[in-house]
Amino acid sequence: MKNAPPTLKEIAKRLKLSTSTVSRALKDHPSIGLVTTMRVKKLAEELNYEPNNRAIFFKQQKTFTIGVVLPNLSESFFSTAISAIENKATEEDYTVILGQSLDDENRQSRILETLRKHRVDGIILSVAKNTSNFDFIDSLRKSNIPIVFFDCVPDREDVIRIVSDLKPGMMEAIDTFVSCGHNRIALINGPQTLLASRERLEGYKQGLEKNDIPVNEDYIFVSDLSEEDNKRVMAELIALPERPSAVICFSDYVALDTMKVAKEKGLSINQDVSFISFSNFPIWNHIENKPMASIEQFAGRQAQKAADILFDLINERETSGEKLISYPSQLIHLDTL
Amino acid sequence: MKNAPPTLKEIAKRLKLSTSTVSRALKDHPSIGLVTTMRVKKLAEELNYEPNNRAIFFKQQKTFTIGVVLPNLSESFFSTAISAIENKATEEDYTVILGQSLDDENRQSRILETLRKHRVDGIILSVAKNTSNFDFIDSLRKSNIPIVFFDCVPDREDVIRIVSDLKPGMMEAIDTFVSCGHNRIALINGPQTLLASRERLEGYKQGLEKNDIPVNEDYIFVSDLSEEDNKRVMAELIALPERPSAVICFSDYVALDTMKVAKEKGLSINQDVSFISFSNFPIWNHIENKPMASIEQFAGRQAQKAADILFDLINERETSGEKLISYPSQLIHLDTL
DNA sequence: CTGTTAGCGCATTCAA
DNA sequence: TTGAATGCGCTAACAG
């Protein structure tokens, strides 16, 4: 049972042909006689011959494999993203090597190293939060491995980045709150190091300005996005003398944590304090006490674009040359149960 | 910039040595002179030499890659599982090629074909629900690719399967319901073709028996696990003349759908009708209107065991020879908010 | 139409 | 202590 899979050589020997003839016959090369072709194909069939992809890849100096590194597959945003990437990869006859950084910078760089050593043909990356060292970019560049960032992207302009433009959603959120009569609107933001945090903040300020509401720095909170910190921040928020009546959360996860605190403090969700968050969990529609609305960032669309561009690069097709591609986010109102 | 990565030959040429000497020097082979070794290492360093894994794998007739095929990464059960597998793979210096079947049998077989063609060293599979054709098992066997199943496993004894033994959790669930005074306990089960459904059913019957409650066939429902069907079934359940006061759901997803229907019909969760489900969503703790309890199936443990065994097979280590390994499930009571 | 040859990058056996 | 030669499976340039 431990018989090695048949090879071209094997077939050639049995048929007293050369491997090249066999190779060509199998791919219907016009210069091979019909009879020979048939004989070869017949035996190949019998032996269950299958070309050894690894050998072919090796010869062609390609791996037909891309690496995808994401913070966390358990976030629906990323599981949606990987599905989109997988589909595109399948179309292109590529396989996907997966890596989860778990938002740990060290883990992330280990994964990237492995991918580089495996000489994947390209990489799609959504960086771990709090990543501070981007040396891997140069390292990959030296190895001629193209990389495309999406969603969580580094704050530098020499790389290709696909992002969601958070401002439209943020502005809509504030408009919505204002039209509901809120004027004490807080923001629970993420780490300053994230581009995504900066953009949320900008959108927040612009949205308030547009509605002639002065920015109150006391209403701007920063969490490291851990459950504890989300809760800590929310407790602070609630304790404010002039408590905000509306809160925009960095993400749906933050909303979950903060709403929990609100409830524990006896506040009624979307009555005593209203919530809008980012990400648009698919699960919201199933549960009560959800935010009024959630801002969709179109994970699938971002990821697909990232994959499209990566394969353009890999196949050295013409690309638009754009380095930063941004899709507008969009506020989605959630039905109240 | 399009310079190829340095090779052994490159180094050898520059140093006027043979590739074999260079090869050996780089791995501190004792028979190479210290001076030569140093010279080689120095130049390798300067050139940023890195062995070409692909070539090594090719030569060794291995790929150092395993395939993992799961129904759906967006289910937390599976994202937990893949993390466990990834960790083990990293330990063993393997990479993971990922595939999502999306519970589509055709898609699943396409993925398995691809993995086979890529000659991965092994496969871990949780089969798509409704899979009816298991020919791929023979196909992989012929290709000498070991495969380990977990969680959703085929109903045949010639393969290695890691499962969660659902009975303990199911019995606990019924005990819990009974001790709360319920005796009209329904089961919303999945497709009959799933071993997992059969086991739930058995556990259900045994649990009732143990508590001297006769089995009422009207209280046993089968859903294809789609949202629509879950809802349809729940509507039927509610419409029963002697409506069950407690429901055990195939999964947390089923619970979400059915609880929604219950609420729409004006029933109060865990008062008019109580729920227990399988899987133990991490998110339950954040939301209201959740089941009384959820049955933990220990995704991580199952997946890790699957990976352990797979690597034992790949490395031809001794294995226990057990074909079916089963971990008891366990009822987890969920805090009421 | 078909065969010979060379080579992808590396490890390894055998010879020097 | 080092080098030459071989081969993993396949493709392709070149020769017949």
Side-chain angles (χ1 to χ4, degrees):
Chain A
M1 205 58 197
K2 200 66 201 175
N3 46 357
T7 65
L8 282 188
K9 199 200 281 184
E10 173 92 13
I11 299 182
K13 195 162 59 182
R14 295 216 197 187
L15 259 33
K16 298 194 194 307
L17 290 170
S18 73
T19 58
S20 41
T21 304
V22 176
S23 169
R24 286 183 282 229
L26 285 173
K27 41 186 56 152
D28 291 310
H29 194 285
S31 74
I32 302 295
L34 187 58
V35 207
T36 318
T37 304
M38 296 308 280
R39 284 177 64 217
V40 168
K41 287 199 169 182
K42 183 153 170 295
L43 183 58
E45 178 80 11
E46 280 172 25
L47 294 181
N48 266 310
Y49 169 79
E50 288 184 343
N52 183 334
N53 268 331
R54 295 291 161 176
I56 297 174
F57 298 169
F58 168 58
K59 181 161 181 55
Q60 302 190 346
Q61 302 282 52
K62 290 189 69 172
T63 63
F64 289 94
T65 299
I66 60 168
V68 177
V69 187
L70 304 174
N72 204 320
L73 245 16
S74 63
E75 292 185 33
S76 70
F77 183 88
F78 292 118
S79 57
T80 305
I82 189 96
S83 296
I85 295 171
E86 224 195 317
N87 287 339
K88 174 71 178 177
T90 306
E91 262 176 44
E92 301 267 349
D93 281 316
Y94 266 67
T95 53
V96 172
I97 291 187
L98 172 75
Q100 289 186 80
S101 67
L102 304 180
D103 279 324
D104 172 358
E105 175 164 15
N106 293 324
R107 203 181 145 107
Q108 174 174 274
S109 45
R110 273 204 312 278
I111 296 172
L112 289 169
E113 261 312 283
T114 308
L115 293 176
R116 201 172 56 75
K117 289 207 186 117
H118 275 247
R119 312 226 172 165
V120 294
D121 293 339
I123 291 178
I124 294 177
L125 172 61
S126 188
V127 306
K129 293 169 192 57
N130 304 325
T131 301
S132 55
N133 182 345
F134 290 96
D135 289 352
F136 64 82
I137 295 180
D138 294 320
S139 166
L140 291 172
R141 190 167 288 157
K142 271 194 206 134
S143 304
N144 280 314
I145 299 177
I147 181 166
V148 176
F149 294 86
F150 83 100
D151 190 56
C152 219
V153 306
D155 193 5
R156 41 190 283 181
E157 301 191 342
D158 59 340
V159 294
I160 297 181
R161 299 175 292 172
I162 322 292
V163 295
S164 175
D165 179 5
L166 303 175
K167 278 183 201 163
M170 180 61 97
M171 309 271 283
E172 280 184 82
I174 292 188
D175 289 347
T176 301
F177 274 150
V178 171
S179 71
C180 292
H182 294 284
N183 57 7
R184 298 193 312 282
I185 302 171
L187 170 67
I188 300 185
N189 210 354
Q192 312 271 15
T193 49
L194 289 185
L195 181 57
S197 299
R198 288 232 313 272
E199 293 200 339
R200 279 170 175 79
L201 184 58
E202 277 178 39
Y204 170 77
K205 288 183 173 170
Q206 283 184 25
L208 289 179
E209 231 167 78
K210 180 180 156 221
N211 284 282
D212 295 322
I213 299 179
V215 174
N216 181 343
E217 292 290 339
D218 290 347
Y219 287 176
I220 301 175
F221 295 84
V222 171
S223 162
D224 68 13
L225 304 180
S226 68
E227 181 168 346
E228 305 77 54
D229 215 39
N230 294 336
K231 289 180 169 173
R232 176 188 63 75
V233 160
M234 187 61 187
E236 279 184 25
L237 184 153
I238 292 176
L240 282 182
E242 287 214 280
R243 174 160 52 77
S245 61
V247 182
I248 298 177
C249 295
F250 181 89
S251 75
D252 286 330
Y253 287 97
V254 174
L256 277 176
D257 294 334
T258 53
M259 290 191 306
K260 194 170 181 185
V261 172
K263 275 180 289 184
E264 283 167 5
K265 303 268 183 189
L267 299 177
S268 167
I269 305 299
N270 293 335
Q271 296 206 271
D272 298 325
V273 56
S274 297
F275 289 84
I276 290 181
S277 53
F278 283 82
S279 281
N280 193 23
F281 267 177
I283 215 176
W284 283 137
N285 279 321
H286 287 275
I287 67 188
E288 292 179 73
N289 281 324
K290 55 191 160 203
M292 282 178 53
S294 190
I295 298 166
E296 173 67 55
Q297 294 171 261
F298 303 105
R301 195 183 296 167
Q302 280 187 60
Q304 194 182 329
K305 185 68 180 181
D308 287 347
I309 293 187
L310 182 64
F311 282 109
D312 285 348
L313 291 171
I314 288 176
N315 299 318
E316 291 174 330
R317 295 185 208 120
E318 272 309 300
T319 64
S320 73
E322 284 173 287
K323 289 278 191 185
L324 181 64
I325 294 173
S326 154
Y327 292 105
S329 58
Q330 186 185 327
L331 192 77
I332 310 281
H333 290 269
L334 300 174
D335 298 332
T336 351
L337 280 184
Chain B
M1 204 59 196
K2 200 64 200 175
N3 46 356
T7 65
L8 282 188
K9 200 200 282 184
E10 173 92 13
I11 299 182
K13 195 163 57 181
R14 294 215 196 188
L15 259 35
K16 298 194 193 308
L17 291 169
S18 72
T19 59
S20 39
T21 305
V22 176
S23 170
R24 285 183 281 230
L26 285 173
K27 44 187 52 151
D28 291 310
H29 194 287
S31 74
I32 301 295
L34 186 59
V35 206
T36 318
T37 303
M38 295 307 279
R39 283 178 63 219
V40 169
K41 288 199 169 183
K42 183 153 169 296
L43 183 57
E45 177 81 11
E46 279 173 24
L47 293 181
N48 267 309
Y49 170 78
E50 288 185 343
N52 183 333
N53 269 332
R54 295 292 160 174
I56 297 174
F57 298 168
F58 169 59
K59 182 162 183 52
Q60 302 189 346
Q61 303 282 52
K62 289 189 70 172
T63 64
F64 290 94
T65 299
I66 61 169
V68 177
V69 186
L70 305 174
N72 204 321
L73 245 16
S74 64
E75 292 186 34
S76 70
F77 183 89
F78 292 118
S79 58
T80 305
I82 189 96
S83 296
I85 296 171
E86 224 195 317
N87 288 339
K88 175 71 179 177
T90 305
E91 263 177 42
E92 301 267 349
D93 281 316
Y94 267 65
T95 52
V96 172
I97 290 187
L98 170 76
Q100 289 186 79
S101 67
L102 303 180
D103 278 325
D104 172 356
E105 176 165 15
N106 293 325
R107 203 183 146 107
Q108 175 175 273
S109 43
R110 273 204 312 279
I111 296 172
L112 289 169
E113 261 312 283
T114 308
L115 292 176
R116 201 173 55 75
K117 291 208 186 117
H118 275 247
R119 313 231 170 160
V120 294
D121 294 340
I123 290 178
I124 294 178
L125 173 60
S126 187
V127 305
K129 293 168 192 59
N130 305 323
T131 300
S132 55
N133 182 344
F134 290 97
D135 290 351
F136 62 83
I137 295 180
D138 294 320
S139 165
L140 290 172
R141 191 167 287 156
K142 272 195 206 130
S143 304
N144 280 313
I145 299 177
I147 180 165
V148 176
F149 293 86
F150 83 100
D151 189 56
C152 218
V153 306
D155 193 5
R156 40 190 283 179
E157 302 191 342
D158 60 339
V159 293
I160 298 181
R161 298 175 291 174
I162 320 294
V163 295
S164 174
D165 179 4
L166 303 175
K167 277 184 203 162
M170 179 62 96
M171 310 271 283
E172 280 184 82
I174 292 190
D175 289 348
T176 301
F177 273 151
V178 170
S179 71
C180 293
H182 295 283
N183 57 7
R184 298 193 312 282
I185 302 172
L187 171 65
I188 299 185
N189 210 353
Q192 311 271 16
T193 49
L194 289 186
L195 180 57
S197 299
R198 288 232 313 274
E199 293 200 339
R200 278 170 175 80
L201 184 59
E202 278 177 40
Y204 170 78
K205 289 183 172 170
Q206 283 185 27
L208 290 179
E209 230 166 79
K210 180 180 157 224
N211 284 283
D212 295 321
I213 298 178
V215 174
N216 181 344
E217 292 289 341
D218 291 347
Y219 287 176
I220 301 176
F221 296 83
V222 170
S223 162
D224 68 12
L225 305 180
S226 67
E227 181 168 346
E228 305 78 54
D229 214 39
N230 293 337
K231 290 180 168 175
R232 176 188 64 75
V233 160
M234 187 61 188
E236 278 183 28
L237 184 152
I238 292 177
L240 282 182
E242 288 215 279
R243 173 159 54 78
S245 62
V247 182
I248 298 177
C249 294
F250 181 88
S251 74
D252 287 329
Y253 287 97
V254 175
L256 278 177
D257 295 333
T258 54
M259 290 190 306
K260 193 171 183 185
V261 171
K263 275 177 288 181
E264 283 167 5
K265 303 269 184 190
L267 299 177
S268 166
I269 305 299
N270 293 335
Q271 295 207 271
D272 299 324
V273 54
S274 296
F275 289 84
I276 290 181
S277 52
F278 283 82
S279 281
N280 193 23
F281 268 177
I283 214 177
W284 282 138
N285 279 321
H286 286 274
I287 67 189
E288 292 179 73
N289 281 323
K290 55 191 160 201
M292 281 178 55
S294 190
I295 298 165
E296 173 68 55
Q297 294 170 261
F298 303 105
R301 196 183 295 168
Q302 280 187 59
Q304 193 182 330
K305 186 68 182 181
D308 288 347
I309 294 188
L310 182 64
F311 282 109
D312 285 348
L313 291 171
I314 288 176
N315 299 319
E316 290 173 330
R317 295 185 208 119
E318 273 310 299
T319 66
S320 74
E322 285 173 287
K323 290 277 190 184
L324 182 64
I325 294 173
S326 155
Y327 292 105
S329 57
Q330 187 186 327
L331 192 76
I332 309 283
H333 290 268
L334 301 174
D335 299 331
T336 349
L337 280 184

